[in-house]
Amino acid sequence: MATSASSKLNKAVKQQYMDLPQGDKVQAMYIWIDGTGEGIRCKTRTLDSEPKTIEDLPEWNFDGSSTYQSEGSNSDMYLIPAAMFRDPFRKDPNKLVLCEVLKYNRKPAETNLRRTCKKVMSMVENSHPWFGMEQEYTLLGTDGHPFGWPSNGFPGPQGPYYCGVGADKAYGRDIVESHYRACLYAGIQICGTNAEVMPAQWEFQVGPCEGINMGDHLWIARFILHRVCEDFGVVVSFDPKPISGNWNGAGCHTNFSTKEMRDDGGLKVIEEAIERLGKRHRYHIRAYDPKGGLDNARRLTGHHETSNIDEFSAGVANRGASIRIPRSVGQDKKGYFEDRRPSANCDPYIVTEALVRTCLLKEEGEEPTDYSK
Amino acid sequence: MAVSASASLSKAVKKQYMELPQGDKVQAMYIWIDGTGEGLRCKTRTLDFEPKSIEDLPEWNFDGSSTYQSEGSNSDMYLIPAAMFRDPFRQDPNKLVLCEVMKYNRKPAETNLRITCKKVMDMVEDQHPWFGMEQEYTILGTDGHPFGWPSNGFPGPQGPYYCGVGADKAYGRDIVEAHYRACLYAGVQICGTNAEVMPAQWEFQVGPCEGINMGDHLWVARFILHRVCEDFGVVASFDPKPIPGNWNGAGCHTNFSTKEMREDGGLKAIEDSIEKLGKRHRYHIRAYDPKGGLDNARRLTGHHETSNINEFSAGVANRGASIRIPRNVGQEKKGYFEDRRPSANCDPYGVTEALIRTCLLSEEGDEPADY
């Protein structure tokens, strides 16, 4: 079976050690995004007391030459604590600490997209931008084949798996259940889960989160998923098209609203926002996966409930469009809309930033505006 | 799978027995370093009381002919308790007792490097030397192959594993987690962990420790790691180059500072020390692994974030140098420096003593001074 050797280690033995009291010492696991813009790294330090807020956590550093982020001759990079959560693996009082990465000269690292996102979000605070992101993912065995699939073949075609139940329909539910509880414990704003169209594919939703919190909560939710899968001995993939052919890809549909859109008559504001998005399709496609659109090109084909990557479209209840306005929103004439273009491996900081730039800051053209000037 | 038969024994059965009350009796596990200078040995005795300090613990002895330390005809060697810790395996009130070894004539055993280290540390007490050691190690299956690696092959090349997360990146995290908690319980000054560049390779850091404590805490941390791995049925290796070729070795980078270096303007004291170290490279290389440099020769190649064993170098934020000055230290002009040369299987007593001798006692030449 394609689960890891680690997962077969005796968990009762581990539990005995994890039950040992730790006195006043606290373990803080610092988490950051590596040079790929998709990979997550972590290391732990001992603190002498429980941090109560993010300000209690010291800066740290790491060897960027081992994470595709710097050269060996000048490898130190800085970790700046940004958001703190309870640790569902080591439990209270231990913490997970999401960090921003700075280069040796204290400028943001190339894949530190949080820095600019935060700046943009603070510019539009009064609009109270809310986000909800629907993170799809695929479970793989350590052999790289989807978990539960026959080892040298394929399951029956898509149809019975979406929200399915039963051993012949739902592959790996234990991971989903564990992840959900771990996120709730950690304080992640996880709002739902469902089995997806392709067997071994699942989705969880995080939100509603305001401003910078969306990126923070989604990245930690992803980290927790990686760690849960590691414990079970399987692998989670955020690749947008893990199996080519007549199998669904994986996206990260992003729901968005402002206070204005949520108030009576907000549909007009939604429609204006969509019109702006329609004029800036290429800028958003570049922002919606870590390879400037190359990853999404394998997924956004116009089939399998996706829009075509080369065309922008919008419609009520239309899952083949770039933007879908939920039917209830069309009826209530207020609410939110769903951008279905972001890839499963997108960086939520730049996705949310792009939506704010185009819809609220009313930017145009292919380049984001530099507000530092 | 390459885990031991022992690991498959019923832990529920064991738990039942471990929950039996022990009255006033206390188990003290005496731990020592054997004749190889790397291996650890242990045996236990019952005490009628809970020892409160090291002075409460009696001397003991053992058969040195079974640990590469003496001949059968004259095999008794003495165990002198040196440092006491809580026992994370048997739990309170039981103890782990790190011991020095003496020969039959009460002279230190060949691999008892603690006794000289302590003397040297006492000479420089006023300078408050602090150490932090970054212990790297590799987890192996009982077949000797790295844990989690395909049984007849290799994982994908290095790149994604350092600080990685996920079943395809992190092999054996359970051991790391269990070891961390066990060390915290025991009172070992463990200050962090991370996954290392080679898959199945990990690192933990112990410190800051002043003087003789560095060696004591690191040896007990190593003992705890061996015991934790034994419970899981895998093996911890401190070999400095477990897999030849394009796979990282395992070191024990040693961070060092004195009160002077930590205070304003301390960078000058750091630079002075580095200059002295630069003139005594061979002496330090001899002190930095249990085979006088032969083990490190397989690791210090100049590649894989190591310096070349034949050359001494130093630099800010430079992981290819013998000595690295952390960037923030270069900026604040005070702090500490990192000697990246010690091997994973070094004796921390020998390493910390060498740093004191060269940097604080200003010794020169290939031999240590006899005080």
Side-chain angles (χ1 to χ4, degrees):
Chain A
M1 181 169 53
T3 52
S4 69
S6 290
S7 66
K8 301 182 179 60
L9 292 171
N10 191 316
K11 304 305 172 182
V13 170
K14 180 169 175 208
Q15 186 60 39
Q16 282 170 349
Y17 286 107
M18 297 311 282
D19 285 341
L20 289 171
Q22 52 185 105
D24 291 331
K25 304 285 190 186
V26 172
Q27 293 164 294
M29 181 172 251
Y30 281 49
I31 296 162
W32 70 98
I33 299 156
D34 72 15
T36 65
E38 301 177 59
I40 306 176
R41 310 278 179 144
C42 59
K43 61 172 183 165
T44 304
R45 71 189 297 177
T46 310
L47 302 173
D48 289 328
S49 62
E50 183 182 359
K52 298 300 184 190
T53 72
I54 199 76
E55 286 76 28
D56 293 340
L57 293 153
E59 281 188 18
W60 206 7
N61 53 67
F62 69 98
D63 173 12
S65 70
S66 295
T67 61
Y68 315 112
Q69 287 177 292
S70 66
E71 298 298 314
S73 54
N74 188 4
S75 58
D76 280 356
M77 301 192 73
Y78 295 103
L79 289 170
I80 316 296
M84 185 171 78
F85 296 85
R86 291 165 77 196
D87 184 332
F89 310 104
R90 297 174 173 147
K91 304 199 321 215
D92 290 336
N94 305 300
K95 306 293 179 207
L96 301 179
V97 182
L98 180 64
C99 299
E100 283 194 31
V101 177
L102 301 184
K103 292 191 287 201
Y104 70 95
N105 55 7
R106 296 198 69 94
K107 287 185 156 56
E110 321 298 337
T111 53
N112 175 359
L113 305 189
R114 186 184 194 274
R115 180 56 59 107
T116 328
C117 180
K118 190 161 199 309
K119 193 175 308 195
V120 165
M121 292 298 171
S122 55
M123 292 167 67
V124 298
E125 261 180 343
N126 297 330
S127 300
H128 297 287
W130 287 6
F131 301 94
M133 293 180 83
E134 305 169 33
Q135 178 71 71
E136 293 178 331
Y137 62 92
T138 313
L139 294 174
L140 309 177
T142 46
D143 56 3
H145 203 47
F147 180 73
W149 288 33
S151 55
N152 56 346
F154 299 83
Q158 295 182 153
Y161 309 111
Y162 174 74
C163 300
V165 60
D168 51 344
K169 314 256 178 23
Y171 299 173
R173 190 186 297 275
D174 283 342
I175 282 104
V176 181
E177 294 296 297
S178 303
H179 174 254
Y180 206 149
R181 284 292 174 86
C183 284
L184 288 173
Y185 180 96
I188 298 295
Q189 193 77 1
I190 184 166
C191 53
T193 56
N194 60 272
E196 266 299 330
V197 176
M198 188 177 91
Q201 191 182 53
W202 295 83
E203 172 180 310
F204 64 88
Q205 305 95 30
V206 177
C209 289
E210 187 162 322
I212 195 66
N213 291 332
M214 183 69 252
D216 292 348
H217 281 237
L218 192 66
W219 273 115
I220 293 288
R222 286 174 174 175
F223 173 79
I224 291 174
L225 183 57
H226 280 299
R227 266 297 273 117
V228 167
C229 286
E230 183 189 309
D231 273 0
F232 280 100
V234 298
V235 174
V236 52
S237 167
F238 295 110
D239 188 79
K241 192 75 175 181
I243 309 291
S244 49
N246 201 8
W247 301 98
N248 269 33
C252 196
H253 306 156
T254 303
N255 301 280
F256 175 53
S257 71
T258 58
K259 188 170 182 307
E260 220 186 341
M261 294 178 197
R262 298 188 289 274
D263 287 340
D264 285 338
L267 184 59
K268 181 163 190 322
V269 184
I270 290 173
E271 286 166 346
E272 280 167 6
I274 292 175
E275 193 170 331
R276 283 184 216 290
L277 289 168
K279 294 185 179 133
R280 224 186 175 199
H281 181 64
R282 278 219 293 260
Y283 160 71
H284 280 261
I285 286 295
R286 273 193 5 247
Y288 283 178
D289 75 45
K291 296 194 186 68
L294 287 177
D295 276 341
N296 245 344
R298 293 180 284 125
R299 163 184 164 252
L300 295 176
T301 56
H303 302 294
H304 301 112
E305 296 153 283
T306 67
S307 51
N308 187 292
I309 195 172
D310 296 319
E311 296 158 16
F312 179 87
S313 56
V316 175
N318 182 352
R319 283 183 163 78
S322 316
I323 307 281
R324 164 179 159 268
I325 300 171
R327 186 162 293 293
S328 53
V329 171
Q331 280 163 352
D332 299 341
K333 309 250 182 284
K334 62 179 176 179
Y336 64 98
F337 67 87
E338 178 194 24
D339 190 334
R340 294 174 63 80
R341 297 171 292 175
S343 166
N345 63 348
C346 70
D347 186 321
Y349 293 128
I350 195 170
V351 169
T352 53
E353 177 190 322
L355 284 165
V356 168
R357 283 180 180 273
T358 302
C359 302
L360 299 191
L361 298 173
K362 303 183 165 55
E363 290 180 15
E364 296 173 0
E366 300 230 339
E367 295 302 320
T369 308
D370 186 345
Y371 296 104
S372 60
K373 299 199 168 70
Chain B
M1 186 172 48
V3 298
S4 68
S6 292
S8 315
L9 294 171
S10 167
K11 303 304 171 184
V13 169
K14 177 165 178 213
K15 195 164 193 300
Q16 283 172 345
Y17 287 106
M18 296 309 285
E19 283 167 357
L20 290 170
Q22 54 187 103
D24 291 331
K25 305 287 191 184
V26 171
Q27 295 163 294
M29 178 172 254
Y30 282 48
I31 297 164
W32 72 99
I33 298 156
D34 72 16
T36 65
E38 301 177 60
L40 286 160
R41 308 283 179 140
C42 58
K43 59 173 182 166
T44 303
R45 70 189 298 176
T46 309
L47 303 172
D48 289 329
F49 59 95
E50 181 183 357
K52 297 302 183 189
S53 71
I54 199 74
E55 289 74 28
D56 292 343
L57 291 153
E59 281 187 16
W60 206 8
N61 54 69
F62 69 97
D63 172 13
S65 70
S66 296
T67 62
Y68 315 114
Q69 287 176 291
S70 65
E71 298 298 315
S73 54
N74 188 1
S75 58
D76 279 359
M77 302 192 71
Y78 295 101
L79 289 170
I80 317 296
M84 186 171 75
F85 296 83
R86 291 164 80 194
D87 185 333
F89 309 104
R90 297 173 171 145
Q91 292 178 38
D92 289 337
N94 304 300
K95 305 294 179 205
L96 300 179
V97 183
L98 181 65
C99 300
E100 283 194 31
V101 177
M102 306 285 225
K103 291 191 290 197
Y104 69 96
N105 56 5
R106 300 204 59 102
K107 285 186 155 57
E110 321 298 336
T111 54
N112 174 1
L113 306 191
R114 186 183 192 276
I115 205 167
T116 329
C117 180
K118 189 156 199 315
K119 193 174 310 194
V120 166
M121 291 298 170
D122 288 343
M123 291 169 66
V124 298
E125 255 182 341
D126 296 339
Q127 302 198 46
H128 298 287
W130 287 5
F131 300 94
M133 292 180 85
E134 307 170 32
Q135 177 72 71
E136 292 178 333
Y137 63 94
T138 313
I139 303 174
L140 308 178
T142 45
D143 57 1
H145 204 46
F147 180 74
W149 286 34
S151 55
N152 58 346
F154 299 84
Q158 297 184 149
Y161 309 110
Y162 173 74
C163 299
V165 61
D168 51 345
K169 312 249 178 32
Y171 298 175
R173 190 188 297 274
D174 285 342
I175 281 104
V176 181
E177 293 295 298
H179 175 254
Y180 205 148
R181 283 294 177 86
C183 284
L184 288 175
Y185 180 93
V188 170
Q189 190 80 359
I190 184 166
C191 54
T193 55
N194 60 271
E196 266 300 328
V197 177
M198 188 178 91
Q201 191 183 53
W202 295 84
E203 172 181 311
F204 63 88
Q205 305 95 30
V206 178
C209 291
E210 187 162 321
I212 196 64
N213 292 333
M214 184 68 253
D216 292 346
H217 281 237
L218 192 66
W219 273 116
V220 175
R222 286 174 174 177
F223 174 80
I224 291 174
L225 182 61
H226 282 302
R227 266 296 275 114
V228 167
C229 285
E230 182 190 308
D231 270 2
F232 281 103
V234 296
V235 174
S237 167
F238 295 112
D239 188 80
K241 192 75 174 181
I243 310 290
N246 202 10
W247 301 100
N248 269 35
C252 196
H253 305 156
T254 302
N255 300 280
F256 175 54
S257 70
T258 58
K259 189 166 178 305
E260 203 189 347
M261 294 177 196
R262 298 188 289 272
E263 286 173 350
D264 285 341
L267 186 58
K268 174 145 197 338
I270 291 173
E271 286 165 346
D272 288 345
S273 284
I274 294 176
E275 195 171 330
K276 292 180 195 162
L277 289 167
K279 296 185 178 131
R280 223 185 176 200
H281 182 63
R282 279 217 294 261
Y283 160 71
H284 281 262
I285 286 296
R286 276 196 358 251
Y288 284 177
D289 75 45
K291 297 195 185 66
L294 287 178
D295 275 341
N296 245 342
R298 293 181 284 123
R299 165 184 162 252
L300 295 177
T301 57
H303 301 295
H304 302 113
E305 294 154 286
T306 65
S307 51
N308 187 291
I309 195 171
N310 297 313
E311 296 159 18
F312 178 87
S313 57
V316 175
N318 184 351
R319 283 181 162 80
S322 317
I323 307 280
R324 166 179 157 267
I325 299 172
R327 183 162 291 292
N328 53 310
V329 171
Q331 279 165 354
E332 293 163 29
K333 311 244 182 286
K334 63 179 175 179
Y336 65 99
F337 66 86
E338 177 193 25
D339 191 335
R340 294 174 64 82
R341 297 172 291 175
S343 168
N345 63 348
C346 70
D347 186 322
Y349 296 127
V351 171
T352 54
E353 175 188 326
L355 284 165
I356 298 293
R357 285 180 178 273
T358 303
C359 301
L360 302 193
L361 299 173
S362 299
E363 289 180 17
E364 294 174 2
D366 272 11
E367 294 303 317
D370 188 346
Y371 298 104

